[in-house]
Amino acid sequence: MAKLLEGKPVAEKIKEQIKQDVQSLKNKPVLASVQVGDNAGAEAYAKSQNKIALSLGIEYQFHKLPENITEKSLIEFMQKLNTDKFVNGIIVQMPLPQQIDYKRISQYISPDKDVEGMHPSNIGQIIFGKAQLIPCTPQAVMELLAQTGVDLYGKETVIVGHSEIVGKPLALLLLDKFATVTVCHIGTSKAGKLEEHVNKAEILIVAVGKVGLIKGEWIKEGAVVVDVGINRVNDKIVGDVEFEAAEKRASWITPVPGGVGPLTVTMLMRNLVTAAKLQQG
Ligand code: NDP
């Protein structure tokens, strides 16, 4: 039976470090959060970020902009935050209305305030192993893998999902640790090869958003399984991996909820402190 790879205890340890780092800064770090239009989910998420920020000694500025804002006006707003010397980090809450292209917007966030790590120059630095601001979910996955004590060197590591925010940057971080990385995606599934790849994974990370995509019997005996997926089923949150069957074969497995989730927001706060340190030289 697998051991549970829980995010909360890891997050608590990292939060203690963040609190100490905040104390050592010249000024209280400030995170500016931008929401466009009304969205109950985004608002709830922002509220929980606010609470965590306050508990760490971080100031959380919430900016709500009108639903019908043009991309040009949103960019102008971002540029104001970029030049505001009191703001150390900027996060844009999802979802955004149709007229706004997140990829374009994220390019207008100053790279040194880009606490989501999605500016092309921050993403690019991952290739050279020199990134300071790394996307939060891939960082959270790396922290969880470190907790297992399993050496990634040469390990067959399979990522399912190749999004820009999770799968692709994670592949680069794992390569940096000399894992042997395979990235699966919709093409792999359509070619009928997903099971074959999952079956050889000593380390398996799944970030798709499809309930039961990964069958428990596909998991290699002793594998470490990190399930990033979040799916709502009858008011319950479940991942992408068939948990009950998978935990009988894996050596470690993340619960959903309670695995990657609690760490992701902690990584956001850690990035904010890193950004503040960079700005204060
Ligand atoms: P995206 O929708 O951007 O990416 C999903 C990926 O899965 C894409 O690469 C897609 O390929 C691939 N995919 C879709 N269907 C299949 C399939 N049948 N077989 C293999 N691959 C497939 O989602 P995100 O990366 O943003 O998020 C993934 C999941 O992780 C979601 O459930 C999300 O809610 C969750 N998440 C959880 C976080 C946390 O803190 N725990 C944080 C971020 C995300 P293609 O694009 O080619 O179709």
Side-chain angles (χ1 to χ4, degrees):
M1 194 66 107
K3 284 182 253 178
L4 272 188
L5 193 44
E6 289 179 294
K8 216 169 165 197
V10 189
E12 290 310 318
K13 257 193 260 167
I14 297 172
K15 280 179 185 165
E16 284 312 311
Q17 185 59 52
I18 295 175
K19 277 187 206 163
Q20 285 178 28
D21 289 350
V22 166
Q23 295 295 321
S24 70
L25 290 169
K26 273 186 241 152
N27 303 312
K28 190 176 194 170
V30 176
L31 175 58
S33 160
V34 179
Q35 185 183 319
V36 183
D38 282 313
N39 183 286
E43 227 147 289
Y45 191 47
K47 259 192 196 146
S48 115
Q49 285 175 354
N50 190 357
K51 204 169 144 199
I52 293 170
L54 288 178
S55 74
L56 298 172
I58 291 167
E59 186 180 322
Y60 192 82
Q61 266 184 17
F62 184 64
H63 303 273
K64 192 164 166 183
L65 304 178
E67 177 89 33
N68 60 356
I69 192 169
T70 61
E71 210 171 76
K72 188 167 170 279
S73 306
L74 181 56
I75 289 168
E76 279 164 12
F77 187 78
M78 293 299 175
Q79 282 166 338
K80 265 193 221 147
L81 293 177
N82 284 341
T83 52
D84 183 336
K85 66 179 176 19
F86 295 108
V87 169
N88 301 107
I90 303 167
I91 176 172
V92 181
Q93 304 291 347
M94 302 299 279
L96 288 166
Q98 270 187 342
Q99 76 275 15
I100 311 285
D101 177 351
Y102 173 72
K103 271 191 212 164
R104 213 166 15 243
I105 290 296
S106 64
Q107 299 191 13
Y108 284 92
I109 296 175
S110 171
D112 67 342
K113 295 191 177 182
D114 168 38
V115 286
E116 290 186 278
M118 289 307 292
H119 188 282
S121 74
N122 285 324
I123 288 278
Q125 290 292 353
I126 301 179
I127 294 212
F128 304 110
K130 288 195 185 306
Q132 309 250 28
L133 298 173
I134 298 171
C136 303
T137 309
Q139 260 197 84
V141 172
M142 295 305 287
E143 287 291 343
L144 284 170
L145 291 177
Q147 287 305 307
T148 65
V150 173
D151 187 1
L152 298 175
Y153 197 96
K155 286 282 183 317
E156 285 296 340
T157 303
V158 174
I159 303 171
V160 187
H162 67 161
S163 72
E164 282 139 18
I165 199 151
V166 188
K168 283 181 188 170
L170 181 59
L172 294 172
L173 295 175
L174 287 161
L175 277 176
D176 220 35
K177 300 282 179 204
F178 294 93
T180 306
V181 183
T182 303
V183 183
C184 300
H185 40 69
I186 192 74
T188 321
S189 279
K190 287 202 170 147
K193 292 187 177 166
L194 189 58
E195 175 177 355
E196 179 187 322
H197 287 289
V198 169
N199 198 249
K200 66 171 187 180
E202 296 172 287
I203 314 278
L204 174 69
I205 300 125
V206 188
V208 173
K210 286 198 174 145
V211 183
L213 177 70
I214 306 297
K215 309 287 167 227
E217 76 250 25
W218 295 359
I219 307 290
K220 188 182 174 74
E221 285 289 341
V224 174
V225 178
V226 177
D227 190 350
V228 182
I230 299 178
N231 309 288
R232 217 170 275 273
V233 179
N234 304 330
D235 282 344
K236 265 184 74 183
I237 303 285
V238 297
D240 295 340
V241 179
E242 285 182 350
F243 184 86
E244 282 77 16
E247 74 168 340
K248 294 195 181 100
R249 302 175 68 89
S251 58
W252 289 92
I253 188 166
T254 51
V256 179
V260 181
L263 264 174
T264 304
V265 63
T266 309
M267 296 300 113
L268 178 73
M269 302 302 162
R270 187 162 77 179
N271 275 351
L272 178 76
V273 173
T274 304
K277 281 186 192 165
L278 289 173
Q279 290 155 35
Q280 290 180 10

